[in-house]
Amino acid sequence: MSHNTRTLAGFLSALRYDDLPEAVISRCEALFLDWLGCALASKGMHPIPLFERYARLMGPADGRSQILANGERSSAYFAALVNGASSHMLEQDDVHNGAVLHAGAVVFPAVVAAAQDLGKSGKELILAAVAGYEAGIRIGEFLGRSHYRIYNTTATVGTLAAAVAVGKLLGFNQGQFIHLLGSAGTQASGLWQFLRDAADTKQLHIAKAAADGLLAAYLTAEGLTAAQNILEGEQGMAVAMSRDADPDCLVDGLGSRWTLAETSFKFHASCRHTHPAADALLSLMQREGLSHEQIAAVTARVHQGAIDLLKWEAPQNPYQAKFSMGAVLGLVAVHGQAGVAEFAQQAYSDPRVVDFGRKVRMRLDAEVDGAYPKRWLGRVEVVTVDGRHLLGAIDDAKGDPGNSLSRQELEDKFRRLVAFSGAVGADQAGALIERAWRLREALAVDPLV
Amino acid sequence: MSHNTRTLAGFLSALRYDDLPEAVISRCEALFLDWLGCALASKGMHPIPLFERYARLMGPADGRSQILANGERSSAYFAALVNGASSHMLEQDDVHNGAVLHAGAVVFPAVVAAAQDLGKSGKELILAAVAGYEAGIRIGEFLGRSHYRIYNTTATVGTLAAAVAVGKLLGFNQGQFIHLLGSAGTQASGLWQFLRDAADTKQLHIAKAAADGLLAAYLTAEGLTAAQNILEGEQGMAVAMSRDADPDCLVDGLGSRWTLAETSFKFHASCRHTHPAADALLSLMQREGLSHEQIAAVTARVHQGAIDLLKWEAPQNPYQAKFSMGAVLGLVAVHGQAGVAEFAQQAYSDPRVVDFGRKVRMRLDAEVDGAYPKRWLGRVEVVTVDGRHLLGAIDDAKGDPGNSLSRQELEDKFRRLVAFSGAVGADQAGALIERAWRLREALAVDPLV
C-alpha cells in the first residue's frame, strides 16, 4: 500500500463542498460553461456522428443521461462516451499546463452523465468535478514529461480523473477510492502514434477515458476490488508508463493548493504556440489605436517550438491556418479575434487576412525561448505604414491563470462556439450561460439541450 | 506504415474459410466448446454478478446478444463485456504458451456476441475466431516476455485479438484492418499490479479486452480512422510496452503456421506447474494398475518455478489447494481427476486426499529444470507399500499440443464445468456439445442457454 495513494484517497473521501474556496467554486462553474460550449460546438463534425451511431446500436433507446451533440438520451456510459468524444473535438477546452491534462474534457462528460443518471445536484456536481480535477492534475504531474512523450495524458490520466469525479458523486470512502484508482489505472491507455496519420483517435481517447472512468466507478460501487497501489507499485502505472515519476506530486498541497484554479482557458482557436504573439499584437494595436491597414510588417519573436510547428505560410484550409502565424495574426489584426468561425471562413480566403499574413515573420528570441515552457512570453515588433517601430509584449497569454478570461469573454466564447455548430440558438445559449453561472443552485442537472 | 502490419492486415483480409485446414476448423470447434464450458462455469461467482448488474444499468433491456451466466439478452457490447469476465473466471480456458495469451477468453466473447448481433453463421464465426487467434498470438509473441512481466498480455493483446475477430466477421478489407489495429492497440491496457492484492481485476481485464476490441471494430466499420503503425511506430505499442519486441513474429508463417492449433487446453483445475507431475503420476498408476492405497511415498521431480510457487502443504481452501502439489497429486490419485468440483469439495477435506498429500515431496530435477519453459516435463518417483521403486514420466503435459485432449476428454471437462455451476442441466449440456461439434454447419449462432 502506498502512503501517497492512501493520503490522496483520504483527501478525496473527506472533501466537502463547504471546504471549497469561493474562487474554486466559481472557476468550476466557468470551466463547466467552457466545456459545454466546446462539446456543443462539435455537433455534426466527423467523427462525432460515428460515436452517436455506436451509442444507438449498443445503448438503450432511452435513459437518464443526455448526449449533447444530438440531444438524445442514453445510459450514463454512452452519454459519457459520446460527450467525451465531443469535448476535445475543437481543442478549445481547458488545459493544465503542468500536467498537460485537459481535465474538463474527461471530467465533465463523465460527471454530468452520472449526475443526470443519479439525480445529483449542482453542488454535488461541482464537488465531484473538483475532486476529479485535483486528483487528475496531480497524477498527471506525478507521471511527468516522459509519460507525455508517448502517451496522451488526457487519455491515460483522464481515465482516473473521470473515475474519481464519478466516485465522489457516488460518495466513496477512502477504501473505495483506492479500489477505484486501481480499476481506473489498470485501464489507462492512449498512445500518440495516431498523430502521424492525422487520424480520429484523439476523439476515441477522450471518449474512452470518460466512459472507462465512469465504468470503473460504477463497478467499484458494486464491490469490484482492485490493486491497492496502482500508481507506485512494482507493476503499476509509473513503472510501466513513466521514467521521471515524482511521488510527491500526488499529495502536493492537498487542501490548500487548488489545481483546478491553475487551469488555462483557450482563447484563440489556433495552435497554442501562436497565442502569445497574437495577444501581444492585439495588446499593441489597442494601446496604439492601430488598425490592420496601418501596419506594414510584423516580426513575432518566438521560442524554437513555434518555429518548428508553425509551418504554413499560405494555408489552404482551417487546419493549416491554425498552424500559420501569418493567418492567426492576420485574423486578430483584421477581425479582432481568431475563433472557430474565423478559421472556418476568413483565415485563408479573406484577402485582407491573407495580405496581412504576408507581412508576418517569425524570429527566434533568446528571452522567449529561455522562459518556455514555464512561461509563454509574447513579443511582437511592428513597423507601421508611417514608419514607426513599436514593440508589443505580454507575459501571460490570454486565458492562462495570470491573465484569465473575464465572464464576458467566456460568454462570448461560448456564444461563438455554439453558433459555429448551430447546436443551440441564441436564446438557449443565453439560458445555458445563466444555468452555468448558477450551477451551485441547481437542484438537479437537467438535460442541457 | 509498417510492412509487417500491412502484410498481417492483408493476410487477415484475404483469409477465406476454404483456406482453413480441417485440423484448424475442428480445433476451433473444440476451443469453442472449451470456452463455452469455462464461461458457463462462472455463473454466480463473484465478481460476475457485478458485471451483470452493470450491463443491466447501462445496456438495453433486450438485444440480439446473450449474456451466458444469466441467460439475459443485451447489445453485443455488454454481452462481450460480461462473457469476457466469465471466460477466465476459473482459469480453465485455453492458452498459447509462447504468446502467454488466453486467446479464447477474449476472442470468443467478442465474436459470439457480434455473430449473434449480425446474424452470422457458424462458418463465419469459425473464420473470424481463427483470424483473431492468428493475429493475437503473433502480436503476443511480437511483444515478448518483457511485456508480460508488467502487462497482462490477455488484456492488452487481447483487445487486438478480439478486435480482429469482430473485424473479420464484419468483412474488413486490408485498410480497415490497419485502422482497426490502430484503434484497438491504442486502447490496450492491463497491469499485473492487482495480483499482489488478489483483487478482481483479472475479470475486468478480460471483460474490457473483449468489449473494447468489439467497440474498435464497430467504430472502424463506421469509418473511424486510426494510427497506421500502432505496433512498430515510434509512439506505438512496442516502444511503449516492450523491451524485446521482435517484428518478425508479426508475420511468422502466415498461411502455413496455424497458431490456433498450438494452443493448450487446461486439463487439471490447478496451478499449471502441478500438471506435469500429476500427469506422470496418473500415467504410472494406470501403467502399473496401482490404487492410491498401494502408494507409500511420491517424489515429484520438478523445475525451480514449481518449488517457488507451490507453497501450500496443508491447504485450507480451494485456492490454496490449487497451489499445493500434495493436494493435486492426492486428488488425481484418489479421485482420478483434479477438476473444479474436486477443488471445491475434496481437495482439503477428504481424509484420503489429505493423507496422500502428506506422502508427497518435491525435488529439483536438473533435466526438468533445464527443459523449462520450452517443455514441461513430468517426472515422479513412487515407492509402493510393498517396497517397489517406480518411475513415471511424461514429456508433454496433458492438454499441450503434443498431448491434446480427446473429444471425450473435452466433453467430460465441459460436463464437469457446467455441472459445477449448475448453469445448464445434463440434457442441455449434451445439446451444447453437439452444437459445438457441428458449429460449422450452423446457419446462425442462436442463443446458447
Side-chain angles (χ1 to χ4, degrees), chain A residues 185-186 230 235-237 240, chain B residues 150-152 189-194 205:
Chain A
T186 203
I230 197 70
Q235 290 166 303
M237 288 185 76
Chain B
I150 297 196
Y151 290 95
N152 179 350
S189 65
L191 299 162
W192 280 125
Q193 182 64 31
F194 74 94
H205 280 176

Side-chain angles (χ1 to χ4, degrees), chain A residues 213-227:
Chain A
L214 182 139
L215 176 147
Y218 274 71
L219 283 172
T220 302
E222 296 277 356
L224 193 76
T225 65

Side-chain angles (χ1 to χ4, degrees), chain A residues 53 186-187 205 208 222, chain B residues 53 186-187 205 208 222:
Chain A
R53 286 199 291 275
T186 203
Q187 293 183 73
H205 280 177
K208 285 296 305 311
E222 296 277 356
Chain B
R53 286 199 291 275
T186 203
Q187 293 182 73
H205 280 176
K208 285 295 306 310
E222 296 277 357

Side-chain angles (χ1 to χ4, degrees), chain A residues 118-363:
Chain A
L118 302 166
K120 298 293 183 178
S121 71
K123 273 187 183 168
E124 290 168 309
L125 177 73
I126 290 169
L127 176 62
V130 171
Y133 271 77
E134 296 304 319
I137 291 168
R138 285 178 174 82
I139 294 168
E141 292 179 331
F142 158 67
L143 290 177
R145 293 281 159 166
S146 66
H147 179 72
Y148 185 74
R149 278 201 283 277
I150 297 197
Y151 290 95
N152 178 350
T153 302
T154 305
T156 53
V157 175
T159 309
L160 293 97
V164 165
V166 178
K168 188 63 187 173
L169 210 55
L170 287 159
F172 280 5
N173 61 31
Q174 184 180 31
Q176 287 175 304
F177 270 116
I178 293 171
H179 286 300
L180 175 61
L181 292 169
S183 284
T186 203
Q187 293 183 73
S189 65
L191 299 161
W192 279 126
Q193 182 64 31
F194 74 93
L195 277 185
R196 293 153 199 273
D197 305 300
D200 301 330
T201 302
K202 201 180 274 186
Q203 279 61 61
L204 179 66
H205 280 177
I206 314 301
K208 285 296 305 311
D212 286 345
L214 182 139
L215 176 147
Y218 274 71
L219 283 172
T220 302
E222 296 277 356
L224 193 76
T225 65
Q228 300 297 288
N229 194 9
I230 197 70
L231 298 168
E232 298 180 71
E234 287 173 43
Q235 290 166 303
M237 288 185 76
V239 168
M241 301 176 155
S242 173
R243 285 174 192 175
D244 61 346
D246 179 356
D248 291 342
C249 291
L250 291 170
V251 294
D252 182 53
L254 285 174
S256 56
R257 174 192 172 205
W258 297 95
T259 60
L260 176 140
E262 299 168 359
T263 49
S264 299
F265 294 105
K266 257 195 157 180
F267 188 61
H268 309 295
S270 55
C271 172
R272 195 162 169 74
H273 293 280
T274 65
H275 292 206
D279 291 332
L281 178 63
L282 270 174
S283 158
L284 179 151
M285 289 174 70
Q286 281 161 11
R287 187 187 76 208
E288 303 287 336
L290 287 178
S291 76
H292 68 93
E293 296 98 335
Q294 295 172 276
I295 294 178
V298 180
T299 301
R301 287 164 29 187
V302 296
H303 59 281
Q304 185 62 44
I307 292 171
D308 294 343
L309 267 165
L310 307 172
K311 295 184 182 305
W312 298 101
E313 297 196 353
Q316 300 299 318
N317 61 44
Y319 185 80
Q320 293 174 0
K322 290 175 184 178
F323 289 83
S324 163
M325 185 64 91
V328 173
L329 297 194
L331 281 178
V332 299
V334 175
H335 293 278
Q337 59 194 22
V340 286
E342 287 74 30
F343 278 103
Q345 294 151 19
Q346 290 95 351
Y348 53 97
S349 59
D350 180 339
R352 297 169 299 170
V353 173
V354 174
D355 282 350
F356 194 94
R358 294 202 186 101
K359 303 175 189 170
V360 173
R361 297 285 175 274
M362 284 188 285
R363 198 178 73 214

